[in-house]
Amino acid sequence: MPRFSIVVPSHGVAGRLSQALDSVLAQSFGDFELIPVCDAPDAPAADVVTGYAERDSRVTPVHSPPSDGLAGARNTGLRAAVGGHVLFLDGDDVLVPGALAALDARLDGTGDVDVLYFEHERTPWWEGEPTNPAAPLLARTPDGAFTPDRAPLLTGVTLPAWSAVYRRAFLAEQNIAFPGDHFTDVGFGGLVSLRAERVAALRTVVVRHLLRRQGNRLALPGEHHAELLDQTELVLTRAAELDLPADRLKPLFEQLFAVVLKTAAHPRRLTSGRRAFFRRASTLYRRHRPDGYRAPGGSLGVQHRLLASGSYAAFRSLRAAHRTASRAAALLPRPRGLRTRLRYAAALRLPLDRNLVVYCAYWGRGYACNPAAIHAKARELAPHLRAVFLVEPDAVGSVPPGVEYAVIGSRKYWQALARAKYLVNNANFADAVVKRPGSVHLQTQHGTPLKTMGADQATYPVVAAATGSFARLLARVDRWDYNLTSNRHSTEMWERAFPSAHETLEYGYPRNDVYCTASAEDVARVRKELGVPDGKKALLYAPTHRDYATGFETGLDLTEFCEAIGDDYVVLLRAHYFYDRGTSRGGGRIIDVTGHRSSEDVCLAADGLITDYSSIMFDYANLDRPIVVYADDWDVYRETRGVYFDLMELPPGRVARTPEELAAVFRDGSWADETATSLRAAFRERFCQFDDGRAAERVVRRVLLGEPPASIPPVIPLAERVPAPAATLVRS
């Protein structure tokens, strides 16, 4: 029997789960079992956990459906546990180094106590000093093992479940499990403290808790706050049944109602049912108030007395007195210019137009990418919706005939942003855009992340300096309702890079639908438009941007490269969109297609791809055509930009480090041989999971038409897809 069973629920934390698991497996004390609790075998976290279970026999995952909530996940893990003591760890928290050794030593010193409470560090996600809220409470406890009556303030309801380790036999004997769905720590902690006979404290930080940017999920508005009263009633009823002594009942009562009053007084948590919440709380207060109880002084004491008397009107007036009339205005981001500001503010007062969709791609560069693909599918499936595409003045010409547009910064632009129910973007809307109640923001992204993104860029100085304010970046992220991904890797990395409360849609990228729907005629048409000579193999060269370089430098002499590989090839040069000047140049063996509107068209035309670290490789892999990685500065790029995985270990095809190596793989044919094909197949398995040709349909049905998830078309398995044919290559 292992010393410890460590239960780790993982719902919604796949992006940071590996940090939690690593912190456990790296402990110097190794006598434990690690029980990750996943939603289902095919859930994002399950992919992470499977690798750990294969490498370490101490990892024994179990499954609990999301509908069972945190309490259900912990109870499932608890039922599976066989260790002497149980420790609960949230999936985005970590054990500090030496934590288990410290717990083991303390338990050896105190004997088998029912509960060992310990300190934890609450670490702000972005800025601010860490705090140790348990330290003042545990500092007043006796040094050795003690009975609960010697530390009456240690009620259990103010400490999270992961701030203690529990004797498993004690929980089983007392039939203690996590109650309810929400505020389960309040009920569990209270029940544990009421039943425990011997407890102890460890005045050392064991868990480092990562404070979410968006705050505790329990603090969000919703009807779930009524369950706080359920937990309060459960604990106080059990205390009455046990005839808890007055010196223990008073602090328990006071701590429980401190939480209740905080919720009752918070204007945003109870968006409805405030009066009913207050009245039920008042009933519980009077029913369980200890004999001779005296309310605390000050404003809190006033709230106690109003709750005892059931005076909701007076309580509401008291809270209103603490609010300022300008609060809403202070929180309102404002566009530049007084006239524009006033017009935008006036438009925000008008009702949402529930049939208006606003699209934008690449900060207004034109009609492109995922927003354009979603718009096209919406015209087919949801013709009742009016669409407005936002573009910069010099991109108006890219908008197809019949597509309504608004120039960024114009009056129509602000009007559309203020009134639209749906806002779709592959980057981000301006800081000044207000997220209105009832509006729906869809972030489509525009690539699969190899390089670090969002908040993960903060530790790379060159990138961080170019990014600007991360606080402002993440404030824009907070507007998202949905975030689109094309593979499970993206799901996990976006969660890390853009932490917020949005829902992830594993639907694929709509712009990539064409790779499964285009015909040979479509490929021939695009090649003709781009000027690719008949019978020539077209190689798309698409290098990415270097944050440490100024201007566009290919790093490869294309003229010399063309001479080295022979006359059978032409090169389509597509620079990063940062260097798009809006023009395309054809002719000769090097055809500049940087200014071509559609990167999807360019990929269709190419028989093979040469790239360095551009995310275009993930999209192009859907075509199942050869890819060659030209990694002449991989080490510099990796250290300067930061990457999520080692591309040299998981390439989509052959890798060349020098111009000579690159030319050689085309001269000898190894760019498309069996080894290259095998590498590409493994790459496609990992990164082409959801791009099956129906991504746009799934998005339109779920987001714009509001269809339930169960009715959304499932993803077609990779083996059953038929990619668009290449012009000069024959696929087996």
Side-chain angles (χ1 to χ4, degrees):
M1 179 176 70
R3 177 66 148 166
F4 299 107
S5 294
I6 304 169
V7 178
V8 187
S10 62
H11 178 66
V13 294
R16 299 190 180 274
L17 179 60
S18 59
Q19 297 177 4
L21 302 182
D22 287 342
S23 75
V24 176
L25 296 174
Q27 293 289 313
S28 57
F29 183 90
D31 186 14
F32 62 82
E33 63 171 348
L34 177 56
I35 308 176
V37 186
C38 305
D39 294 345
D42 60 347
D47 286 352
V48 177
V49 169
T50 298
Y52 284 89
E54 291 173 350
R55 296 191 298 270
D56 197 315
S57 61
R58 295 174 297 179
V59 181
T60 55
V62 295
H63 299 100
S64 176
S67 58
D68 286 352
L70 176 62
R74 286 175 173 171
N75 288 333
T76 298
L78 181 58
R79 287 191 294 270
V82 297
H85 292 79
V86 182
L87 173 66
F88 299 96
L89 184 70
D90 279 359
D92 52 359
D93 296 342
V94 297
L95 289 181
V96 301
L100 295 184
L103 290 174
D104 177 66
R106 183 59 171 160
L107 289 171
D108 283 344
T110 61
D112 278 337
V113 294
D114 296 328
V115 189
L116 173 61
Y117 294 101
F118 50 74
E119 296 176 4
H120 63 272
E121 185 177 84
R122 298 171 67 87
T123 305
W125 179 87
W126 185 243
E127 57 186 7
E129 294 298 323
T131 60
N132 186 343
L137 180 61
L138 299 185
R140 295 194 289 268
T141 58
D143 289 335
F146 55 89
T147 55
D149 61 287
R150 296 183 61 196
L153 293 179
L154 194 58
T155 66
V157 301
T158 60
L159 292 177
W162 40 260
S163 196
V165 62
Y166 311 88
R167 186 166 62 87
R168 186 172 62 85
F170 157 71
L171 296 178
E173 292 163 1
Q174 298 298 329
N175 197 28
I176 297 175
F178 287 89
D181 294 323
H182 299 90
F183 301 96
T184 187
D185 282 15
V186 173
F188 180 80
L191 295 177
V192 165
S193 69
L194 291 174
R195 288 296 189 180
E197 296 180 356
R198 295 182 74 249
V199 300
L202 173 61
R203 301 185 189 100
T204 300
V205 171
V206 171
V207 171
R208 183 167 293 119
H209 173 62
L210 182 69
L211 292 175
R212 299 170 183 267
R213 282 193 55 254
Q214 59 272 29
N216 191 324
R217 291 172 179 170
L218 293 178
L220 297 175
E223 298 179 356
H224 63 277
H225 288 282
E227 295 185 38
L228 173 59
L229 299 181
D230 295 340
Q231 303 289 359
T232 299
E233 183 172 18
L234 172 66
V235 173
L236 290 176
T237 299
R238 190 65 53 84
E241 293 171 352
L242 296 173
D243 196 19
L244 197 68
D247 60 341
R248 291 187 61 194
L249 180 58
K250 177 184 175 181
L252 176 64
F253 175 87
E254 203 160 68
Q255 290 177 19
L256 283 169
F257 276 97
V259 180
V260 170
L261 283 168
K262 184 177 181 180
T263 297
H266 201 290
R268 294 185 180 178
R269 294 185 183 178
L270 294 168
T271 55
S272 62
R274 296 181 190 175
R275 185 184 297 273
F277 182 94
F278 185 87
R279 285 178 174 173
R280 184 184 172 198
S282 178
T283 299
L284 289 175
Y285 187 96
R286 292 192 296 269
R287 180 187 304 160
H288 294 283
R289 179 172 48 186
D291 293 338
Y293 176 75
R294 297 183 62 181
S299 176
L300 181 59
V302 174
Q303 294 181 49
H304 270 260
R305 288 188 286 275
L306 293 176
L307 188 63
S309 65
S311 303
Y312 176 71
F315 183 84
R316 182 179 58 186
S317 299
L318 176 67
R319 296 312 305 156
H322 291 282
R323 303 183 196 125
T324 61
S326 60
R327 181 187 54 175
L331 295 176
L332 178 65
R334 297 177 175 180
R336 295 178 180 177
L338 178 59
R339 181 177 300 177
T340 302
R341 186 186 312 161
L342 293 175
R343 287 174 176 168
Y344 184 49
L348 288 171
R349 295 178 179 273
L350 299 174
L352 283 175
D353 185 340
R354 301 193 175 277
N355 290 323
L356 177 58
V357 190
V358 167
Y359 297 90
C360 189
Y362 299 115
W363 303 276
R365 286 183 55 243
Y367 186 86
C369 196
N370 292 317
I374 295 170
H375 169 264
K377 182 58 68 172
R379 298 178 83 173
E380 172 189 337
L381 299 179
H384 64 285
L385 296 177
R386 174 194 169 205
V388 176
F389 227 95
L390 307 181
V391 293
E392 290 287 356
D394 58 359
V396 169
S398 74
V399 181
V403 175
E404 184 178 354
Y405 66 88
V407 174
I408 290 178
S410 67
R411 182 173 182 174
K412 182 178 180 180
Y413 164 85
W414 289 110
Q415 284 283 124
L417 286 172
R419 298 291 309 279
K421 177 176 180 178
Y422 305 100
L423 293 95
V424 181
N425 206 325
N426 74 347
N428 255 316
F429 290 100
D431 291 345
V433 173
V434 174
K435 175 68 166 70
R436 296 185 62 178
S439 66
V440 176
H441 285 236
L442 169 64
Q443 168 59 250
T444 73
Q445 302 295 346
H446 54 271
T448 291
L450 165 62
K451 60 189 177 186
T452 55
M453 301 293 291
D456 289 336
Q457 298 173 346
T459 56
Y460 296 90
V462 173
V463 188
T467 301
S469 169
F470 283 95
R472 290 171 62 185
L473 166 66
L474 294 168
R476 297 191 290 269
V477 171
D478 285 339
R479 297 185 302 219
W480 301 354
D481 293 290
Y482 298 104
N483 184 35
L484 204 57
T485 75
S486 57
N487 48 64
R488 187 57 56 78
H489 163 78
S490 294
T491 299
E492 297 172 14
M493 296 308 104
W494 292 147
E495 183 181 310
R496 285 180 46 180
F498 303 117
S500 192
H502 54 261
E503 178 181 351
T504 297
L505 300 180
E506 293 184 321
Y507 287 175
Y509 281 163
R511 71 180 185 187
N512 291 344
D513 285 353
V514 68
Y515 298 144
C516 291
T517 61
S519 64
E521 291 74 17
D522 295 321
V523 173
R525 172 186 53 80
V526 175
R527 286 170 67 91
K528 184 176 181 180
E529 289 178 2
L530 297 178
V532 179
D534 292 340
K536 297 291 186 180
K537 295 183 178 69
L539 303 177
L540 172 59
Y541 177 49
T544 192
H545 169 66
R546 302 295 197 277
D547 298 276
Y548 46 86
T550 58
F552 173 62
E553 299 177 2
T554 65
L556 179 68
D557 189 319
L558 292 179
T559 301
E560 291 184 0
F561 173 70
C562 287
E563 292 176 355
I565 62 176
D567 294 337
D568 291 339
Y569 301 92
V570 295
V571 173
L572 306 176
L573 169 62
R574 189 169 181 86
H576 190 274
Y577 60 79
F578 284 178
Y579 311 106
D580 178 8
R581 296 296 177 263
T583 59
S584 294
R585 297 192 303 273
R589 295 189 59 193
I590 302 172
I591 305 172
D592 188 345
V593 295
T594 302
H596 189 77
R597 178 182 61 84
S598 170
S599 63
E600 294 77 53
D601 280 357
V602 173
C603 287
L604 285 173
D607 300 292
L609 170 68
I610 304 170
T611 187
D612 40 25
Y613 327 117
S614 170
S615 65
I616 199 172
M617 72 178 78
F618 302 99
D619 304 313
Y620 192 82
N622 285 287
L623 289 167
D624 197 16
R625 302 177 189 175
I627 303 173
V628 177
V629 175
Y630 179 54
D632 61 329
D633 61 347
W634 168 249
D635 294 333
V636 175
Y637 186 87
R638 178 180 58 188
E639 294 301 320
T640 306
R641 187 60 171 85
V643 295
Y644 287 121
F645 67 91
D646 190 344
L647 183 63
M648 302 302 102
E649 297 293 328
L650 297 167
R654 293 288 186 176
V655 176
R657 294 277 194 164
T658 66
E660 292 75 21
E661 290 180 3
L662 181 62
V665 300
F666 287 96
R667 284 199 304 267
D668 63 21
S670 60
W671 68 293
D673 64 6
E674 291 185 3
T675 298
T677 302
S678 176
L679 290 171
R680 185 170 72 253
F683 191 84
R684 280 165 49 80
E685 285 286 341
R686 183 176 183 185
F687 297 111
C688 298
Q689 289 170 292
F690 310 137
D691 288 336
D692 64 349
R694 300 190 69 180
E697 178 184 354
R698 283 189 282 269
V699 172
V700 171
R701 293 190 181 280
R702 176 69 190 284
V703 179
L704 302 185
L705 294 177
E707 295 184 9
S711 70
I712 304 303
V715 174
I716 299 171
L718 186 63
E720 298 177 16
R721 302 174 204 165
V722 180
T728 65
L729 297 177
V730 178
R731 183 185 298 109
S732 62

